[in-house]
Amino acid sequence: MNELIGYLGVVLLIIGFVYALVRQTKHTLALLNSDKTVDYKRSLLGNYLTSIAMAGFLISFVLNLVVSMQFMQSSIITSNNTSASCFIFLTILFIAKFTIVPKNPKKKRLTV
């Protein structure tokens, strides 16, 4: 029973990250197609990094699950490697989301 609850929690976590990745991608595409504001380049770079880091974390997390459940036997891809890549992508995600993306984007248009 405890194993079933653990698997359910992992599946819900993966579903939540897939949903967040889809929403982040839609937000990045909407920002790409919107009017250019003062912080346009910084905001676009931060959203690109956030999307890439979220996708990398999701892939690393699923790969870590596959390796830890021993569905895939490989000497190159180990649990230590996948957990390190999860940590690196999660760090990049937090840095991009909370430091690169401006909190209050200015709505002034650029005069080009």
Side-chain angles (χ1 to χ4, degrees):
M1 184 68 182
N2 287 337
E3 192 171 313
L4 180 66
I5 293 173
Y7 288 142
L8 182 66
V10 169
V11 167
L12 288 176
L13 187 68
I14 290 173
I15 290 171
F17 267 104
V18 168
Y19 178 73
L21 179 63
V22 169
R23 285 193 51 144
Q24 179 64 38
T25 306
K26 284 183 182 180
H27 178 69
T28 303
L29 291 175
L31 183 67
L32 185 63
N33 295 330
S34 70
D35 292 335
K36 294 181 170 57
T37 59
V38 175
D39 290 332
Y40 174 74
K41 289 183 181 179
R42 181 178 174 184
S43 183
L44 191 62
L45 174 71
N47 281 304
Y48 276 147
L49 278 174
T50 302
S51 296
I52 291 169
M54 198 175 290
F57 173 76
L58 188 61
I59 291 169
S60 298
F61 185 71
V62 170
L63 197 58
N64 192 12
L65 288 174
V66 168
V67 168
S68 66
M69 290 181 182
Q70 297 177 352
F71 289 135
M72 182 176 69
Q73 298 291 330
S74 175
S75 61
I76 297 172
I77 301 173
T78 62
S79 182
N80 290 337
N81 293 341
T82 55
S83 63
S85 66
C86 279
F87 177 73
I88 289 169
F89 280 121
L90 201 59
T91 303
I92 293 170
L93 175 69
F94 285 136
I95 289 171
K97 189 71 174 173
F98 295 118
T99 60
I100 296 176
V101 176
K103 290 187 179 28
N104 295 324
K106 298 174 182 91
K107 297 295 180 183
K108 297 178 184 175
R109 291 181 52 93
L110 288 176
T111 55
V112 182

